[in-house]
Amino acid sequence: MDRRGFVGARIESSHPLTDDEVRVWRIGIDLPPSELTELRLVLSSDEQERVERFRFEADRRRSVVSRGCLRLLLGALLRLPAFSLRFEYNEFGKPKLISTQEQGLQFNVSHSGDLVLIAITKGRAVGLDVEKIRTDIDLDGVAARFFSTDENRRLASLAGPAKYEAFFTCWTRKEAYLKAHGGGLSVPLDRFDVSFLPNEDAALLATRPDPNEAKRWTLLPISVPSGYAAALASEGTDWRLGCVRTSSRRRRGEF
């Protein structure tokens, strides 16, 4: 694939990633057919088989875009062919590059609706989550099952659209932290609290049983179109967020 065409012009990943940066790419899945074909070409055989197992075209497209763009981005940053990258997984299913290729890079991917988010950084754990806001769920039932007592109390103070937006803000911030932590379902969602009320700064408020765990992480919102919520978590406070936008449609105020 001509990196100058897709990676250089659309993804813009070739400039070096500094040690104090967490870079996030936001990619729409409505890419031209030619680019979708190119993305499929860099997938491994097992990734291509996974794509074909999806029943719906939208799911196949999300899979191709998320994994293909991840490979292109990592390959460009590492100066390695995208198709040559190999991944391994921890006991909770979190992927990473094999040790001979990683060069300190860590990454995370999330997708929902028409959006794919990819975060890459060096030498620090990272997690992110994006969700399309839905109103067809039992919001109170899900919150009662997964959120902490204090989070349920604060959520109950809201009503209408603001309550749904706050719910998904809470959910994405909790998921981002869990994905950065790497412990998967071994860390119950009600064992830590996050901020999520309107106009409230993103923060990991409390962690149990170790209260000092909260100090290890920084939690930030990610700019996404109306109707979505997204968040990023990464280790430490000595880093800055860099955002790259690659889809063709742009609204005022979006990166």
Side-chain angles (χ1 to χ4, degrees):
M1 180 183 298
D2 184 358
R3 287 181 176 174
R4 292 172 300 174
F6 189 85
V7 175
R10 294 292 299 277
I11 296 186
E12 305 173 19
S13 66
S14 57
H15 57 288
L17 183 70
T18 59
D19 292 343
D20 66 343
E21 181 184 11
V22 178
R23 196 176 301 171
V24 175
W25 288 261
R26 196 184 84 207
I27 306 161
I29 68 170
D30 57 341
L31 297 177
S34 59
E35 290 185 353
L36 288 171
T37 298
E38 290 178 339
L39 288 172
R40 291 194 70 140
L41 291 176
V42 303
L43 301 182
S44 66
S45 58
D46 62 308
E47 288 169 337
Q48 299 223 27
E49 290 173 3
R50 189 179 307 124
V51 169
E52 292 305 318
R53 287 198 293 269
F54 286 110
R55 178 180 177 184
F56 299 107
E57 173 60 28
D59 294 325
R60 291 193 290 269
R61 183 182 290 260
R62 275 188 289 269
S63 182
V64 169
V65 172
S66 60
R67 198 65 172 204
C69 286
L70 175 65
R71 281 182 169 273
L72 287 173
L73 290 167
L74 291 172
L77 290 167
L78 295 169
R79 299 295 189 267
L80 293 172
F83 64 83
S84 72
L85 299 178
R86 294 175 58 195
F87 300 92
E88 57 188 14
Y89 300 83
N90 71 8
E91 60 183 307
F92 304 107
K94 186 175 182 178
K96 65 176 182 176
L97 288 165
I98 61 173
S99 59
T100 56
Q101 293 180 333
E102 67 166 358
Q103 297 181 34
L105 292 186
Q106 298 199 45
F107 60 88
N108 201 233
V109 180
S110 183
H111 52 74
S112 181
D114 296 330
L115 291 182
V116 172
L117 296 184
I118 299 174
I120 304 178
T121 188
K122 294 177 68 174
R124 67 181 76 238
V126 65
L128 83 168
D129 190 55
V130 60
E131 298 290 342
K132 189 171 184 177
I133 296 173
R134 297 167 47 195
T135 58
D136 61 341
I137 64 170
D138 177 10
L139 184 151
D140 291 324
V142 175
R145 180 179 178 187
F146 293 108
F147 290 0
S148 70
T149 300
D150 187 60
E151 287 168 339
N152 272 283
R153 178 186 59 79
R154 288 185 284 140
L155 188 65
S157 70
L158 302 173
K163 186 171 185 178
Y164 281 92
E165 185 170 349
F167 171 89
F168 280 95
T169 296
C170 183
W171 185 272
T172 55
R173 291 177 183 179
K174 291 172 85 70
E175 284 291 319
Y177 166 65
L178 282 183
K179 292 171 76 175
H181 184 278
L185 296 177
S186 68
V187 182
L189 284 167
D190 62 357
R191 295 289 292 274
F192 60 96
D193 299 344
V194 299
S195 62
F196 59 85
L197 293 178
N199 302 316
E200 193 173 39
D201 289 339
L204 182 58
L205 299 175
T207 48
R208 296 174 290 275
D210 180 7
N212 293 320
E213 171 72 10
K215 301 175 183 178
R216 291 183 50 218
W217 304 91
T218 297
L219 194 60
L220 292 177
I222 298 296
S223 174
V224 285
S226 176
Y228 289 84
L232 172 87
S234 193
E235 284 183 292
T237 59
D238 57 338
W239 56 270
R240 58 189 176 87
L241 177 64
C243 295
V244 181
R245 189 182 178 286
T246 68
S247 59
S248 58
R249 298 181 180 89
R250 185 173 185 174
R251 298 180 183 179
R252 187 174 183 179
E254 297 176 5
F255 71 81

